[in-house]
Amino acid sequence: MELIIKILQFFLCFTILVGIHELGHFIMARVFRIRVEKFYIFFDPWFSLFKFRRGNTEYGLGWLPLGGYVKIAGMIDESMDKEYQQREVQPWEFRAKPAWQRFLVMIAGVVMNVLLAITIYIGICYTWGETYFPNDEARWGYNFNEAGHRMGFRDGDRFVSIDGEKVDDISMLLNQLLITESDREVVVLRDGKQVTLHLTLDELIDMRREKGYENLFTLRMPFLIDSVAAPTAAALQRGDEIVAIDGVHDATYTEYRRYLQSKAGDTVSVTVLRGGERIAGLGIPISAEGTLGVFADPQPFELRTQHYTFWQAIPAGIHKTGKVIASYWEQLKLIVQPKTKMYEELGGFIAIGSIFPGSWDWQDFWLKTAFLSIILAVMNILPIPGLDGGHAIFTFWEMISGRKVSDRVLEAAQYVGLIIILFLLLYANGNDVYRFFIK
């Protein structure tokens, strides 16, 4: 059932993104009275799942879920249809329009994807607000996995800054740490003192390749007493923080629980912090089940939520979109730099589908849809022939030079672009197959 929900979310998201993107081209073409011959969600080689015609446009749903397209009259596109070149130029054709109009038609899909992301983020800010975990709530520090220990982190460290930038929102910490083409300087608070860790690019690359960033750090859970349940623990009070049991000190709740189980039926010496005062030597009998006779506070941390009115949500949504675009653009720049080896982390449809949860959560769905809409916009604006950015760059050249690029050059560029796109699709999806089924 979880797999079905993931698949449903993926296809709903993909349909929305492709539909909105192609709608942008469609609307702008119609604004300039350019005929749109086809409007398709997904591709339709050989046949389509269904189609109907209204006016001069055929609308349909293809069977190959790799995108979608609009076929604009008088333009070289993915269909490689060149029949129009044998005819007289018609006033309703793409090629008959001035360069600035053709340029706007080309970038309209990207603009629509950015506007979709803005709209979604505005809706999320207004409906749910922005909830995040602030770094200053991690008063007991973090535990680190093996990759973190190799880089010099110690359990109990608290983040202070990365390359001089203060750490606040923990959800953004990995981006601050990993999106880099150079070494990182991380300052942590350790035993009350600031310690600087110098992380080399090679270390960060190795961590990414080994997926050491997964669970790189987890919050240290303290043993805070929520209530006293047994008379034998009457010396303890609500709000006490257990900081030592016998010789075990500065441990996590799980570590203390493990030690208590080993002392079942015995008596231990407990040290607590109470109102800022350290109280030691509290002798507490341990039950036969290895329990202290208290209930621990299950949630000693507080998430922060920034709420917005409708009018406040508009600039907040625009700002959020800008931050995500800037972050993804930085990642994209790193992918094309061989020394970062981030190209090894490219993923295809399986990787995209795997980001959706196994249960339906509308807030999460819309967050991922907005993020993928930005990815689609950024990827399409790249100056690769065959993509919107490739078409736009030729039109922009015509606008500034006054010379139109010949159909023969456009046709050759389209073939080159299709080869590049096919290679990227095969490489990204090949990475998926290797990661999920072979490695």
Side-chain angles (χ1 to χ4, degrees):
M1 189 62 180
E2 288 188 2
L3 179 60
I4 293 174
I5 292 174
K6 281 177 175 281
I7 293 172
L8 286 174
Q9 290 181 90
F10 171 76
F11 277 104
L12 176 58
C13 172
F14 208 52
T15 302
I16 291 171
L17 297 184
V18 172
I20 288 293
H21 182 91
E22 300 305 334
L23 184 63
H25 294 306
F26 178 84
I27 291 174
M28 192 58 66
R30 299 305 298 137
V31 165
F32 296 128
R33 301 183 183 278
I34 301 171
R35 182 173 295 177
V36 178
E37 297 175 347
K38 284 188 173 184
F39 185 118
Y40 263 75
I41 303 297
F42 303 150
F43 292 116
D44 61 327
W46 305 298
F47 68 93
S48 56
L49 297 180
F50 77 84
K51 60 184 177 181
F52 64 92
R53 178 171 290 276
R54 180 169 294 174
N56 295 309
T57 305
E58 177 183 301
Y59 300 87
L61 178 68
W63 61 270
L64 188 60
L66 297 179
Y69 69 98
V70 288
K71 189 176 187 309
I72 298 175
M75 173 186 169
I76 295 178
D77 57 15
E78 298 89 343
S79 68
M80 300 306 294
D81 181 4
K82 297 176 286 184
E83 288 185 12
Y84 72 89
Q85 296 176 10
Q86 312 304 319
R87 301 189 300 263
E88 290 278 335
V89 177
Q90 302 298 319
W92 36 261
E93 288 185 323
F94 180 80
R95 57 179 173 164
K97 302 301 179 179
W100 68 270
Q101 292 185 7
R102 286 182 276 123
F103 179 80
L104 292 179
V105 171
M106 284 297 96
I107 66 169
V110 169
V111 172
M112 284 292 280
N113 279 124
V114 173
L115 290 176
L116 174 64
I118 291 173
T119 302
I120 291 174
Y121 283 132
I122 289 172
I124 290 172
C125 288
Y126 176 67
T127 305
W128 293 287
E130 286 189 283
T131 299
Y132 68 100
F133 183 84
N135 183 51
D136 56 19
E137 271 292 305
R139 300 186 296 277
W140 296 274
Y142 302 91
N143 284 338
F144 294 84
N145 65 9
E146 183 180 348
H149 289 151
R150 284 201 304 267
M151 291 190 294
F153 293 105
R154 293 184 188 173
D155 291 344
D157 284 354
R158 293 175 58 188
F159 293 102
V160 176
S161 65
I162 298 177
D163 285 350
E165 184 178 348
K166 183 182 177 182
V167 175
D168 181 26
D169 184 354
I170 290 301
S171 66
M172 300 302 295
L173 194 149
L174 280 178
N175 279 352
Q176 286 180 260
L177 187 64
L178 296 178
I179 301 177
T180 179
E181 54 187 298
S182 60
D183 299 350
R184 284 293 202 205
E185 195 169 85
V186 182
V187 177
V188 297
L189 192 64
R190 180 181 298 167
D191 298 327
K193 298 179 181 179
Q194 290 194 357
V195 176
T196 300
L197 303 178
H198 185 76
L199 310 184
T200 67
L201 180 60
D202 287 339
E203 287 179 308
L204 295 171
I205 289 173
D206 288 342
M207 182 179 68
R208 287 200 299 258
R209 295 177 70 180
E210 298 170 4
K211 292 195 173 181
Y213 52 81
E214 295 181 351
N215 298 315
L216 175 65
F217 55 90
T218 54
L219 280 167
R220 286 175 64 85
M221 182 68 71
F223 198 152
L224 285 178
I225 297 176
D226 183 64
S227 61
V228 178
T232 53
L236 302 174
Q237 299 178 9
R238 174 184 171 86
D240 283 353
E241 178 188 346
I242 296 176
V243 294
I245 301 178
D246 293 339
V248 180
H249 57 87
D250 296 326
T252 63
Y253 169 76
T254 302
E255 291 165 339
Y256 283 132
R257 284 285 294 116
R258 191 179 301 122
Y259 179 76
L260 289 172
Q261 288 172 352
S262 72
K263 303 293 285 186
D266 204 346
T267 298
V268 296
S269 177
V270 178
T271 302
V272 300
L273 280 179
R274 181 180 297 165
E277 182 183 355
R278 192 179 184 93
I279 302 173
L282 300 175
I284 310 294
I286 305 302
S287 71
E289 291 77 27
T291 61
L292 199 58
V294 299
F295 289 107
D297 186 346
Q299 183 53 270
F301 309 104
E302 288 186 15
L303 295 176
R304 289 183 188 165
T305 301
Q306 174 68 54
H307 296 285
Y308 300 93
T309 65
F310 177 76
W311 297 113
Q312 290 172 334
I314 295 174
I318 295 172
H319 179 68
K320 176 73 172 177
T321 303
K323 283 177 61 178
V324 176
I325 290 174
S327 175
Y328 184 69
W329 182 251
E330 289 300 315
Q331 293 181 56
L332 201 59
K333 288 196 297 183
L334 295 179
I335 287 173
V336 298
Q337 296 185 32
K339 67 177 182 178
T340 68
K341 299 183 181 179
M342 283 190 69
Y343 56 84
E344 298 177 357
E345 299 172 34
L346 282 174
F349 296 112
I350 296 176
I352 294 172
S354 67
I355 71 174
F356 291 99
S359 59
W360 204 286
D361 181 332
W362 279 113
Q363 183 180 5
D364 184 79
F365 172 80
W366 289 118
L367 278 169
K368 288 180 169 58
T369 300
F371 177 63
L372 292 174
S373 189
I374 287 171
I375 291 179
L376 184 60
V378 173
M379 293 300 294
N380 265 282
I381 204 63
L382 295 177
I384 298 175
L387 296 178
D388 296 342
H391 290 293
I393 202 73
F394 285 123
T395 311
F396 186 70
W397 165 254
E398 181 183 344
M399 289 168 60
I400 60 175
S401 69
R403 290 179 294 177
K404 191 171 184 179
V405 180
S406 70
D407 286 339
R408 182 175 296 180
V409 171
L410 291 175
E411 182 183 337
Q414 189 74 12
Y415 277 116
V416 171
L418 289 174
I419 292 171
I420 293 172
I421 294 167
L422 181 60
F423 170 77
L424 290 173
L425 280 171
L426 290 174
Y427 179 78
N429 287 283
N431 275 350
D432 281 354
V433 172
Y434 176 72
R435 280 195 295 261
F436 287 92
F437 301 108
I438 299 175
K439 190 173 180 180

